[in-house]
């Protein structure tokens, strides 16, 4: 196997000191998931990663990147000493980007980043070896980690970029240096931190700062902030394509026909009209496909081939995955959209729930976080969508009370202090033929509900 990193490359990239001569095949920041041949990076988070260096080496890591001597019995020759491990990881990511011949696509946006990234993984995979961020590794350590893991022979790389505060996207984009940069949407997620939707648009627009000269910015045609974003792209010397439902969109969703487990979309891409058969339900998935096909076109590839490949895309756990679960007397359908939530993504999830052929449609909802003073109003604003698309609503958390109280009494399944209490009540309430959507911000811990509903179940 061709090594991902050699000792000489590691020393050059990080300016670190390493005694051993090794060949590493992977990079990890979690000692629990070490694979044989990995480099372990001892980062600091809730715990200091240096505490786990001995464990990582025992599990098969060939070396550990450290900035001080770790505790325990550790082979000093297997320690790559750097001034700071996060800076060392960033340097390694920069070196991974610098040496690759892969075409790089960057993705940011308020909604749909991870789904678009995964759709790009499938679409570009039809043309060559494609590397993409694992899970939602889209922050100050996730982006360099993804680049540090970039295989030498990759033809394409897809880098997701997220933010919580102003000033985070630009350095990530400059590190990734995408040939094509996508902004999926401009919403209100993290508005409590940034203060306004205009500030969110400016932050998402900072992906333009890193796009390679002559590259392409793919922008949301339906956003009121398109003129500002387009001006930034032109000033940066970039090509530009737009995506969405607006008549002016370069990649335009013409029609979408929903089905319980997928849908059929017609998309206009320049002079071409493409038909997509999607295996994941939701109009929002078809809209993400518009951005994906625009990226494929920007890379000079055949959109028709990508469109056929997208039929194989399926949503992952926490991102709208569908599965059957056992309930007393039969089965129910679980829509696992538990990973995160914003107003736009909740509305999209409720539309998917409404499309399911079910005896009852149930919505299990946890607080949407980081909305600041707008939190109560944004939760209450979802009442119309909930009334239209489901029969029963279970909520947890203080903010979701604003939705719960806006519902008619017959639609209120129950309000609970946390997801654990909601999970117990929901499991007791489910009946054969029900469909249940689970959604909420990551901090609301809606995954607890998924574990309760699927305990002992096989994935189907």
């Amino acid at each position: 196997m061709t090594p991902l990193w050699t000792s000489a490359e590691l020393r050059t990239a990080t300016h670190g000191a390493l005694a051993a001569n090794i060949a590493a095949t992977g990079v990890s920041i979690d000692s629990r998931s070490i694979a044989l041949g990995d480099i372990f990076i001892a980062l600091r988070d809730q715990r200091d990663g240096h505490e786990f260096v001995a464990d990582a080496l025992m599990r098969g890591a060939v070396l550990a990147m450290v900035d001080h001597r770790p505790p325990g019995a550790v082979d000093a020759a297997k320690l790559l000493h750097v001034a700071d491990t996060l800076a060392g990881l960033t340097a390694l990511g920069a070196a991974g980007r610098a040496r690759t011949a892969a075409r790089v696509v960057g993705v940011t946006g308020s909604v749909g980043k991870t789904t678009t990234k995964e759709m790009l993984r499938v679409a570009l995979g039809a043309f060559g070896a494609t590397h993409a961020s694992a899970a939602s590794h889209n922050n100050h350590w996730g982006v360099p980690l993804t680049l540090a893991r970039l295989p030498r022979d990759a033809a394409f790389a897809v880098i997701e970029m997220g933010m919580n505060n102003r000033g985070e996207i630009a350095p990530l984009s400059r590190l990734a240096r995408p040939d094509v940069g996508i902004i999926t949407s401009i919403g209100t997620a993290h508005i409590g931190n940034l203060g306004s939707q205009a500030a969110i648009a400016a932050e998402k627009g900072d992906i333009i700062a890193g796009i390679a000269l002559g590259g392409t910015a793919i922008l949301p045609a339906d956003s009121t902030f398109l003129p500002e974003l387009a001006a930034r792209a032109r000033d940066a010397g970039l090509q530009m394509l737009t995506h969405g439902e607006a008549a002016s969109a370069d990649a335009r969703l013409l029609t979408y026909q929903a089905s319980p487990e997928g849908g059929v979309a017609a998309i206009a891409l320049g002079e071409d009209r493409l038909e997509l058969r999607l295996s994941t339900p939701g109009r929002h998935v078809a809209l993400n496909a518009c951005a994906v096909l625009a990226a494929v076109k920007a890379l000079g590839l055949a959109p028709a081939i990508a469109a056929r490949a997208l039929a194989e895309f399926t949503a992952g756990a926490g991102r709208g995955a569908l599965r059957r679960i056992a309930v007393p007397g039969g089965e129910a359908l679980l829509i696992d959209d538990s990973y995160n939530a914003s107003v736009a993504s909740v509305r999209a999830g409720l539309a998917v729930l409404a499309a399911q052929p079910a005896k009852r449609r149930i919505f299990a909802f946890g607080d949407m976080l980081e909305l600041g003073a707008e939190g109560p109003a944004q939760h209450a604003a979802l009442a119309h969508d909930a009334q239209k698309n489901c029969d029963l609503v279970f909520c947890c958390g203080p903010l979701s009370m604003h939705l719960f109280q806006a519902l008619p009494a017959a639609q209120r399944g129950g309000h609970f202090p946390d997801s654990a209490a909601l999970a117990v009540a929901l499991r007791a309430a489910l009946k054969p033929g029900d469909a249940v959507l689970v959604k909420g911000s990551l901090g609301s811990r809606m995954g607890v509900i998924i574990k309760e509903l699927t305990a002992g179940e096989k994935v189907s």
Side-chain angles (χ1 to χ4, degrees), residues 9-32:
E9 289 170 329
L10 291 169
R11 296 185 193 104
T12 299
T14 67
H15 302 290
L18 173 65
N21 287 315
I22 59 90
T25 54
V27 182
S28 177
I29 61 170
D30 187 344
S31 64
R32 296 166 298 181

Side-chain angles (χ1 to χ4, degrees), residues 212-283:
L213 185 64
T216 304
I218 297 178
L219 308 175
D222 304 309
S223 174
T224 57
F225 298 98
L226 177 62
E228 293 95 323
L229 295 170
R232 290 183 66 176
R234 285 193 296 270
D235 289 346
L238 302 180
Q239 304 295 314
M240 185 177 67
L241 293 171
T242 59
H243 65 94
E245 295 186 85
S248 60
D250 297 299
R252 181 186 176 198
L253 180 62
L254 300 174
T255 63
Y256 176 73
Q257 182 177 349
S259 66
E261 297 185 351
V264 178
I267 294 175
L269 188 61
E271 299 299 317
D272 298 324
R273 179 186 169 105
L274 302 169
E275 184 174 281
L276 279 75
R277 296 191 176 275
L278 297 166
S279 301
T280 296
R283 188 181 194 87

Side-chain angles (χ1 to χ4, degrees), residues 37-281:
D38 276 354
I39 302 165
F40 174 66
I41 314 290
L43 298 179
R44 293 174 184 80
D45 192 24
Q46 295 177 347
R47 300 277 299 273
D48 185 346
H50 291 76
E51 297 175 19
F52 306 100
V53 167
D55 181 55
L57 293 173
M58 182 183 69
R59 290 172 180 263
V62 291
L63 66 86
M65 181 191 293
V66 300
D67 55 33
H68 63 266
R69 176 74 187 186
V74 175
D75 184 352
K78 293 184 177 181
L79 299 180
L80 170 60
H81 289 275
V82 297
D84 177 83
T85 50
L86 179 57
L89 173 60
T90 302
L92 196 60
R97 176 64 182 93
R99 74 182 183 185
T100 188
R103 309 289 300 283
V104 177
V105 181
V107 182
T108 193
S110 295
V111 181
K113 292 186 295 296
T114 301
T115 298
T116 300
K117 178 256 296 183
E118 291 300 326
M119 293 178 80
L120 280 163
R121 188 200 298 269
V122 173
L124 295 176
F127 302 98
T130 300
H131 173 70
S133 314
S136 289
H137 289 174
N138 61 21
N139 62 3
H140 63 290
W141 58 258
V143 170
L145 179 62
T146 301
L147 293 169
R149 290 171 165 173
L150 180 55
R152 295 175 186 271
D153 61 350
F156 305 99
V158 187
I159 312 297
E160 181 181 340
M161 304 174 205
M163 63 85 185
N164 292 301
N165 297 285
R166 192 73 177 96
E168 295 179 350
I169 294 293
L172 299 180
S173 186
R174 291 189 178 106
L175 181 66
R177 291 189 291 112
D179 300 289
V180 175
I182 298 173
I183 300 175
T184 60
S185 61
I186 306 296
T188 57
H190 312 299
I191 198 168
N193 294 343
L194 278 81
S196 69
Q197 199 168 9
I200 293 170
E203 176 66 13
K204 298 300 184 183
D206 280 353
I207 193 174
I208 291 167
I211 298 175
L213 185 64
T216 304
I218 297 178
L219 308 175
D222 304 309
S223 174
T224 57
F225 298 98
L226 177 62
E228 293 95 323
L229 295 170
R232 290 183 66 176
R234 285 193 296 270
D235 289 346
L238 302 180
Q239 304 295 314
M240 185 177 67
L241 293 171
T242 59
H243 65 94
E245 295 186 85
S248 60
D250 297 299
R252 181 186 176 198
L253 180 62
L254 300 174
T255 63
Y256 176 73
Q257 182 177 349
S259 66
E261 297 185 351
V264 178
I267 294 175
L269 188 61
E271 299 299 317
D272 298 324
R273 179 186 169 105
L274 302 169
E275 184 174 281
L276 279 75
R277 296 191 176 275
L278 297 166
S279 301
T280 296

